[in-house]
Amino acid sequence: MSPADNQSCLVGAEDTVSLLVCAYHTLEDWAGLSHLEDYLSYLEYLLWVFTPLAIVFILPFLIVIFLYLSILFLYVYKRKNQLREAYSNNLWDGARKTLATLWDGHGAIWHGYEIHGMEKIPDTGPALIVYYHGAIPIDYYYFLANVIIQKGRTCHSVGDHFLFKIPGFKLLLEVFSVIHGPQEECVRALRNGHMLGISPGGVREALFSDETYPLLWGKRRGFAQVAIDSQVPVIPMFTQNVREGFRSLGTLRFFRWLYESFRLPIAPIYGGFPVKFRTFGDPIPYDPNINAAELAEKVQQAVQSLIDQHQQIPGNIMRALLERFHTRKKRQ
């Protein structure tokens, strides 16, 4: 509609209806709605062209997902007899073994997860597991799953207080024997013959460590005193490439300030990369002639030694991905 037509339209409008019709045509011309049919035709053409291409790429991706789901099913099926027996004995034993099987399958498929030295984990009796804390300790979840499946026992764990405040987590924490960590409760669990896992670095290490893998334990010695009071061996543990799987933006000053000021562990975490995970650990026997400070230093040095021996510094996501395709032996 030309300006002349608009003008004549307005001049010739003698009633409200004519004015509304005229205003509509003016708005249509101004917004380009008269070309809407052309735009829709062009969009339809693009959809017609690119739909086959999208299908070509999406369908293979769906097939890959289906294959991995099939593999996960086979992991569960492989354990079916154990699961049936577990459910017949105790409801939570069956539930734990079912979830452990799913986590073990996820670790094997997504990270090619391996434990070097599983034979060093005791079949019975107490031990204190001390591990490096990744941005998300998913490697520790895989370890717990393997303990349940291969050792037939549950490893108790010490979790940060904020875990107990997350809605819906209570049942999960109870079933998998997670405690919030008073020394007396830790000693009680060990004296009752359970294994106990703890990360001295905790949330601070999860959020503020980085691809250079510094240990952020500060002067924490409580875990060492627990081991001495319980008279149990300590098993330092580290997982190769754990910070390449997930990384944290906690090194940014703002998120560090939030945590130090308000104890809010809200630094964004990104990743989920299917990098290679290998867990290593060597026990430190109980020594009655050592105090808590000396034991804490000894354990920290042991974890640092595992990092130095098995982790290339700084960590690299692409290199960790490529390690999925070749076997790398322990470096001596």
Side-chain angles (χ1 to χ4, degrees), residues 64-81:
V64 171
I65 291 178
F66 183 73
L67 288 172
Y68 276 115
L69 289 175
S70 300
I71 295 170
L72 190 57
F73 167 77
L74 292 176
Y75 269 95
V76 176
Y77 188 82
K78 181 180 179 180
R79 309 285 184 184
K80 68 172 185 174
N81 291 328

Side-chain angles (χ1 to χ4, degrees), residues 1-51:
M1 201 173 194
S2 66
D5 293 335
N6 287 338
Q7 186 175 1
S8 63
C9 176
L10 292 173
V11 170
E14 296 180 353
D15 53 37
T16 304
V17 175
S18 299
L19 281 172
L20 290 174
V21 172
C22 186
Y24 170 76
H25 286 299
T26 303
L27 179 63
E28 181 184 47
D29 187 58
W30 175 77
L33 295 178
S34 58
H35 302 292
L36 181 60
E37 186 176 352
D38 294 334
Y39 295 150
L40 291 176
S41 298
Y42 182 65
L43 183 61
E44 183 180 5
Y45 170 75
L46 290 178
L47 190 63
W48 178 78
V49 170
F50 288 105
T51 296

Side-chain angles (χ1 to χ4, degrees), residues 32-331:
L33 295 178
S34 58
H35 302 292
L36 181 60
E37 186 176 352
D38 294 334
Y39 295 150
L40 291 176
S41 298
Y42 182 65
L43 183 61
E44 183 180 5
Y45 170 75
L46 290 178
L47 190 63
W48 178 78
V49 170
F50 288 105
T51 296
L53 293 176
I55 292 174
V56 165
F57 286 100
I58 290 174
L59 285 182
F61 182 70
L62 293 177
I63 293 297
V64 171
I65 291 178
F66 183 73
L67 288 172
Y68 276 115
L69 289 175
S70 300
I71 295 170
L72 190 57
F73 167 77
L74 292 176
Y75 269 95
V76 176
Y77 188 82
K78 181 180 179 180
R79 309 285 184 184
K80 68 172 185 174
N81 291 328
Q82 294 177 337
L83 294 176
R84 187 182 297 115
E85 182 181 352
Y87 275 105
S88 65
N89 294 329
N90 181 281
L91 175 64
W92 292 129
D93 283 346
R96 277 190 288 264
K97 282 202 171 184
T98 300
L99 289 176
T101 300
L102 292 173
W103 277 102
D104 181 51
H106 183 276
I109 294 169
W110 198 246
H111 292 289
Y113 181 68
E114 302 172 4
I115 297 181
H116 293 258
M118 191 64 181
E119 70 281 356
K120 301 173 184 177
I121 305 298
D123 296 330
T124 59
L128 182 64
I129 310 294
V130 178
Y131 63 95
Y132 171 85
H133 201 304
I136 294 180
I138 192 169
D139 60 313
Y140 182 65
Y141 306 156
Y142 297 152
F143 169 76
L144 294 179
N146 275 268
V147 169
I148 292 173
I149 293 171
Q150 297 187 40
K151 300 291 183 177
R153 58 185 310 197
T154 301
C155 178
H156 293 216
S157 303
V158 176
D160 194 270
H161 284 79
F162 86 91
L163 289 176
F164 296 84
K165 299 177 182 178
I166 301 177
F169 264 49
K170 181 179 179 181
L171 180 60
L172 179 68
L173 298 176
E174 286 180 357
V175 171
F176 284 90
S177 304
V178 180
I179 59 179
H180 57 80
Q183 288 190 22
E184 298 79 9
E185 195 170 351
C186 294
V187 171
R188 186 181 306 114
L190 290 166
R191 286 181 175 173
N192 287 336
H194 300 293
M195 289 195 300
L196 179 69
I198 185 170
S199 172
V203 173
R204 185 181 300 276
E205 192 166 80
L207 297 182
F208 307 130
S209 188
D210 56 26
E211 61 272 19
T212 62
Y213 290 84
L215 296 177
L216 305 182
W217 294 12
K219 297 182 179 180
R220 293 187 176 180
R221 301 172 180 173
F223 71 94
Q225 190 61 57
V226 164
I228 291 173
D229 293 343
S230 307
Q231 300 182 4
V232 299
V234 179
I235 305 178
M237 197 171 73
F238 170 74
T239 299
Q240 183 186 75
N241 297 324
V242 65
R243 293 210 82 89
E244 278 57 73
F246 290 91
R247 287 190 172 176
S248 167
L249 297 179
T251 52
L252 298 179
R253 186 174 300 176
F254 173 72
F255 298 113
R256 185 69 179 256
W257 172 80
L258 273 180
Y259 182 76
E260 299 296 352
S261 301
F262 307 103
R263 286 296 184 267
L264 294 176
I266 58 174
I269 293 173
Y270 67 96
F273 306 112
V275 300
K276 183 66 177 182
F277 279 176
R278 296 183 181 91
T279 294
F280 302 92
D282 290 298
I284 299 175
Y286 168 69
D287 183 353
N289 301 315
I290 194 172
N291 60 39
E294 293 169 336
L295 180 58
E297 179 66 22
K298 188 174 183 179
V299 174
Q300 184 168 348
Q301 290 178 356
V303 175
Q304 185 63 59
S305 177
L306 290 172
I307 295 173
D308 296 339
Q309 184 178 2
H310 301 291
Q311 183 65 53
Q312 293 192 42
I313 303 293
N316 181 279
I317 294 173
M318 183 57 66
R319 181 176 62 235
L321 286 169
L322 293 176
E323 288 178 10
R324 292 294 307 273
F325 303 100
H326 66 87
T327 303
R328 195 174 90 182
K329 302 294 184 182
K330 289 184 181 181
R331 287 183 284 173

